[in-house]
Amino acid sequence: MNICVVGVGYVGLVTGAVFADLGNDVICVDIDEAKIENLNKGIMPIFEPGLKEMVVHNKKDGRLSFTTNLKSGVRESDIIFIGVNTPPKDNGETDLSFVQSVAMGIAEWIDDYKIVVNKSTVPVGTGDLVREIIETNKRKDVDFDVVSNPEFLREGSAIKDTLMPDRIVIGAPSKNVAMKLLELYAVLERPMIITDVHSAEIIKYASNAFLATKISFINMISDLCELANADVNQVAKGMGTDARIGGLFLQPGLGYGGSCFPKDSSSLAHTVRKVGGDSTLLDAVMSINAKRSSQILKKIEKQFASLDGKVFAMLGLAFKPNTDDIRDAKSLEIIESLLKQKAKVRAYDPAAMDKVKKIYPDIVYCQNAYEATEGADAMLLITEWNEFRLLNFEKVLSLMRTPIVFDGRNIYSVRRMKGLGFEYYGMGIGTGE
Ligand code: UGA
């Protein structure tokens, strides 16, 4: 099929690359000339395992191209995917200006029947808005349809998630239109759910907000475990084995960050209130998450009389492993507080250091985890990259000034760490006293 994907951010670029890899002819369009120029040279705007190889290979084979020319993208395609970003406004509402401007562009160039597919995360009713913009502004009297096809890929496993999604949701205005999308996705052989447009739009937000709720729920239980002298890891395991609950997204710790859960929970709460509903549950989820960094900071502050001059080895800066994304990363809140209290930070992250350097140029950036722990008064595990799981702790012990570990993601075993001679503080683990 001939496909146009507008927006080469996370969703757009990965979608375009995967569609091309499946044999479609894909034109990716973006207004950012530098990004397009770089992509044409094989330079990716994001760090995502397997993406570069897929882009370079499909571009070479002529199935994937990058341009700033929306006209050719629209005219040469049967299906146009909108994958531009939808940032939050200050009040939590979603800023739809990029989606609106793409819709205006489509209206300008549409010259034949097209299916316009919203892949960006957009509040319920946006499909109607896109339809209205194109309808009112189209220059030629042609027909078109608007579909909602939300994306569920995760950063760090975006290619795999796109090739093997748990489900594909297609919110279409009619069976015929849905069939066109089914045809495109059939090759993946994954479960497909056909809905109306509004329901598909809500499925995306409801899914992200539900996962955020699971995380805040287990973090609330985590705080209870600390107060009641229990172990949240055991509690999560005990809960998660109930098939109705499920063990995924019950990992306690510093809570969620990134570009999706924070903004989507807040946008959903805004939508709920806008239509006259009650957002209490979502508000509680967000409030619990906002306090996660202070939970670990409280433990640190309790340990030291003053943080002035104390050295902290910070392992992990990205909002989660396998990405260089630091949007709403807990590391930033923690660095900010440590620096305010005149502490020194020695940080290491396999991918995200360049981005953090732009915000905090004056902390020490290290080559690896061991260098970060040199002379440290405590080690803080912030992002659970695999390479931190099996560190040589005898070596770490010999490098640190005082062997204290604050584990923000509970990746180490209390017993093992204590056995090795560390003073260990996880999240949601009672002292046993
Ligand atoms: C999330 C969803 O998982 C995707 O399905 C969705 O497509 C995407 O948002 C989006 O809307 O674009 P992502 O933000 O890449 O994906 O990351 P996740 O792997 O879901 O993790 C989100 C945050 O939750 C991370 O900060 C992670 O550390 C935290 N988390 C996750 C926990 O604190 N505990 C857990 O048990 C799981």
Side-chain angles (χ1 to χ4, degrees), residues 122-125 128 148-150 152 169-172 193-207:
V122 289
V124 58
D128 301 336
S148 165
N149 169 221
F152 299 100
V169 174
I170 298 169
I193 294 159
I194 312 292
T195 69
D196 59 87
V197 178
H198 284 188
S199 301
E201 289 171 333
I202 292 183
I203 288 171
K204 168 69 190 189
Y205 280 99
S207 302

Side-chain angles (χ1 to χ4, degrees), residues 55 89 118 121 163 169 195-196 273-274 280 291 306 323 370-371 402:
V55 166
K89 293 185 190 170
N118 242 330
T121 300
L163 283 167
V169 174
T195 69
D196 59 87
R273 286 191 295 270
K274 195 170 148 190
T280 312
K291 293 181 197 136
S306 152
T323 178
Y370 300 107
E371 194 187 323
T402 44

Side-chain angles (χ1 to χ4, degrees), residues 11 121 151-156 161 167 204 208 211 215 218-219 247-261 264 289 319-321 328 384 409:
V11 168
T121 300
E151 181 50 63
F152 299 100
L153 64 80
R154 287 163 298 175
E155 293 188 18
D161 290 347
R167 77 302 204 187
K204 168 69 190 189
N208 273 5
L211 292 170
I215 298 170
I218 199 64
N219 283 331
L248 299 176
F249 281 71
L250 279 186
Q251 175 63 52
L254 292 171
Y256 58 82
S259 66
C260 305
F261 288 178
D264 292 352
N289 194 59
F319 88 91
K320 67 170 194 176
D328 265 319
E384 66 279 30
R409 302 287 175 181

